[in-house]
Amino acid sequence: VRLVGSEMCIRDRPSSMHGIRISENGTEKCSAILLESGGATGITENSFVIKNESIYICCSDMVYCLKLSDLSVNWRNQCDPGTCFQIYEFEDDFIIHGEMQISRIDEQGKTKWNFGARDIFVSPDGKNELKIIENRIEVIDWQGYKYVLNSAGELLSEEKVI
């Protein structure tokens, strides 16, 4: 699987464009381009997950699930009002690190819960704001508050760390 990302900021055009190519023995089997017009996102090591013959990928404010065999769309859901940065496997589901909320979705894209806080989940210094430790999710917002959530999305603790 080869992913190519590009961010665009042209009015009335997609803000994110992600290309996906599936190759076997050096020959391209299929390809797809995802275009979205929510917040701009790029391709990183945590912007997609490959699981059970599918690729789950963040593109703008959406998460896509595509079949790896032909890159047809299984589903596409908006998982954040702003943009979706990262996706992580969590138990049998996924955690989505969005700009404005942290979400838990299942393999069919159904939202189990969302968590929002004081500010966006981006840090001024560019450090990774989300960590998964065992069955807990730790996230830091722009103002430097650290939130610890349990697997049900309930707030366990909150403290100013920066």
Side-chain angles (χ1 to χ4, degrees):
V1 175
R2 182 166 178 239
L3 298 171
V4 180
S6 176
E7 297 178 23
M8 299 169 54
C9 297
I10 302 170
R11 187 175 177 194
D12 300 324
R13 299 228 177 135
S15 58
S16 296
M17 176 174 55
H18 300 331
I20 305 167
R21 290 186 182 145
I22 305 291
S23 299
E24 188 173 306
N25 299 321
T27 303
E28 185 176 301
K29 288 177 54 180
C30 55
S31 62
I33 296 177
L34 306 178
L35 301 171
E36 288 295 344
S37 59
T41 58
I43 296 294
T44 68
E45 68 180 271
N46 294 315
S47 63
F48 67 96
V49 169
I50 296 174
K51 181 180 181 183
N52 296 335
E53 302 301 317
S54 294
I55 182 168
Y56 301 83
I57 183 167
C58 299
C59 183
S60 188
D61 58 348
M62 300 290 178
V63 173
Y64 281 78
C65 174
L66 308 174
K67 291 181 193 173
L68 280 176
S69 60
D70 61 3
L71 295 177
S72 60
V73 178
N74 290 327
W75 54 261
R76 165 187 168 269
N77 287 341
Q78 183 182 26
C79 292
D80 191 88
T83 193
C84 299
F85 299 120
Q86 300 174 318
I87 181 170
Y88 297 91
E89 286 188 69
F90 185 74
E91 297 174 351
D92 292 329
D93 297 323
F94 300 101
I95 297 296
I96 308 300
H97 171 197
E99 179 181 23
M100 301 173 73
Q101 62 190 25
I102 305 302
S103 303
R104 182 175 181 170
I105 63 170
D106 65 17
E107 285 190 50
Q108 289 71 47
K110 181 182 173 192
T111 300
K112 291 190 166 184
W113 54 258
N114 296 312
F115 174 79
R118 288 180 177 77
D119 212 332
I120 59 175
F121 294 115
V122 178
S123 66
D125 59 10
K127 292 183 181 175
N128 189 2
E129 306 83 21
L130 187 135
K131 293 180 188 171
I132 297 175
I133 302 168
E134 296 175 2
N135 63 347
R136 292 182 334 242
I137 299 115
E138 296 182 0
V139 63
I140 299 174
D141 72 10
W142 182 267
Q143 294 182 35
Y145 285 89
K146 177 180 166 183
Y147 307 90
V148 179
L149 310 175
N150 66 15
S151 61
E154 298 164 337
L155 183 63
L156 298 176
S157 68
E158 173 182 344
E159 68 176 309
K160 179 85 169 166
V161 294
I162 299 174

